Amino acid sequence: MTTDRRPLEPIRDEPALAARPHRRRAPLRRLLPAVAIVATGALLAGCTAVTAGIAAAGAGTSSASGTTTTTSAVTSATLDELVAVNEDGTVVREDEWSAADAIDVTLSGTGATAASGVTSADGVVTITEAGVYRLSGGLDGRVVVAAAEDAQVVLLLDGASIASDDGPAIEVQTADDVAIHLVDGTSSTIVDTTAYAADAGAHAAIDAAADLTVSGAGALAIEASDDGISTSDDLAIIGGELEVVAGDEALRGGDSLLVEEGALRLDAGGDALQSDQEDGEGRGWIAIEGGTIEATAGDDGLHAASDILVSGGTITVDAVGDGLHADVALAIAGGSVTVAGSDEGLESALVQIDGGTIDVTASDDAINGSAGSSSTTADQGGMGGGMADSGELVAITGGDVTLRAGGDGLDSNGSIELSGGTVVVWGPTSDGNGALDANGGLSVTGGTLLAVGSAGMAESPDDTSTQGWLQVAASGQAGSTIEVRDESGATIASFQAASAFANVVFSSAALTGTTATVVVDGAETAATLGTATGGGMGGGQGGPGGPGGRP
């Protein structure tokens, strides 16, 4: 496969896109039974479905003002547990069909050569029967699949070029499931310049009302005025080199979106990858199991109405909105996730990190445990734990996590639990935010934590923490060397600061005894373990002098 193809220039009808409402979904459909979540005074009622590992600890009570206080809590759940409660997506594997059975369809001008199961008229080539079809040549028009409801249709793109200005270049109107296979050694192109009405049904360059799989080892470049590839059902990418420039979403699988293999380069005016089905249990999820994704997004990099599940692959996102946003759960157990730019980096009611390499840069919060849609739920961060615990959870049990934040670094409207892995937070320089911010508990029982940032809203671990920790008021600039020495004077950790700071929090299994020293560019600050010596706030929701924060 080629890897050096130049990026496509976007084709975007700005007036049409402005008229088209962005498909951002309502908040929670599947979080907790009998749970209410606070969203700046707006009550978000929990639904009746139960997600494994995401359970209620109790119900909230309403005040006269309508604001709800709740002791309900999201609990930690592994990626496998979350996968188990989602519906399996449909994938058309290559062993389910044979290229030897393919019917050749040669595209030419506004039509195609006659073939069994294929008709051609008025610039529309229609496939009406189940089977395997090899498309080659060029078409100024559209390919439509209108087969039986139980039909499986496979389209082999063999150097095909399809351009439409009157609807999707490829539209699946009826079929059970469809595969688009990119023939090895070939490059195909799809261009859709249609000016879609705001209420248009089909509005993607490749639009399907059926399960859709993209496979193969060839290349496909898509230019779309609206969505690139969109299906109301399951979308699976299991191979190929795919380049999409889209006015709105680049890839959308309504029920689910799976990336198993392949090289994806996505430039989206909206979300780069989206699954937005909120009706029915086990739908609206995105799973990344392998492949390489490079995405630029005018909204979120990845946005799921339920879960985002990352077990492998390499993801690089530069987004105007959130890097990865899941309304219910965001779990990372492997692979590499880089958010090069974002408003908020990783956001969900449950953020669970059990492995992988994560590097996040955000103008606001780098990781945010917050329930609901990014456009409808206000962040309660920036208050140093001064607001109510609304039950969300950020749980880190493994992995290598680096965070750079203009707002809060590691933030939860509920609790933060660190039991493994390595977490380095280069937090804000503004005193209105903190490197750590939990409205509930902030527990450290394992792993390594360095949280460096401003002092005004600084927080420290709480008294449920069983691993040694320190917090000191120590200042430095970007490039300063930060050393942590144990009570014997031995250096147990050393870091180079990524930004200016006035507060340091550190925890490690190597931090034992009762005292330690933090050294910044040679200047020493003594610390008593388990005691906050400087900074604005104590541990978790304790505030100054509260649990874990004994200034």
Side-chain angles (χ1 to χ4, degrees), residues 268-289:
D271 299 336
L273 297 93
Q274 182 192 88
S275 184
D276 59 356
Q277 178 59 265
E278 58 182 9
D279 297 326
E281 291 307 308
R283 299 177 180 177
W285 54 264
I286 297 173
I288 310 299
E289 298 180 357

Side-chain angles (χ1 to χ4, degrees), residues 147 160 188 331 337 359 376-377 387 445 540:
S188 297
V337 176
D359 190 302
T376 58
T377 302
M387 295 189 71
T445 59

Side-chain angles (χ1 to χ4, degrees), residues 157 177 223 333 394 398 407 413 420 449 525 536:
L157 296 188
D177 47 63
E223 298 181 59
V394 175
N413 292 347
L449 170 67
T525 303

Side-chain angles (χ1 to χ4, degrees), residues 26-32 49-52 54 74-75 82 85-86 281 283-284 303-309 325-331 347-352 369-373 392-393:
L28 303 179
R29 322 127 317 288
R30 180 189 65 108
L31 180 60
L32 310 171
V50 178
T51 298
I54 302 180
V74 173
T75 58
L82 292 167
V85 298
N86 285 318
E281 291 307 308
R283 299 177 180 177
H303 187 102
S306 61
D307 305 334
I308 295 176
L309 311 168
H325 178 97
D327 285 0
V328 176
L330 195 170
E347 183 175 60
S348 186
L350 169 63
V351 178
Q352 178 87 29
S370 179
S373 165
E392 295 87 343
L393 174 64

Side-chain angles (χ1 to χ4, degrees), residues 68 130 163 193 292 360 363 414 427 511:
T68 296
T193 59
T292 301
V360 175
S363 59
L511 196 61

Side-chain angles (χ1 to χ4, degrees), residues 440-467:
L442 203 171
S443 176
V444 180
T445 59
T448 299
L449 170 67
L450 175 70
V452 175
S454 58
M457 306 298 287
E459 290 189 31
S460 59
D462 64 24
D463 59 1
T464 66
S465 299
T466 58
Q467 179 170 278

Side-chain angles (χ1 to χ4, degrees), residues 218-233:
L220 174 62
I222 298 173
E223 298 181 59
S225 59
D226 202 302
D227 290 356
I229 300 177
S230 178
T231 173
S232 57
D233 298 337

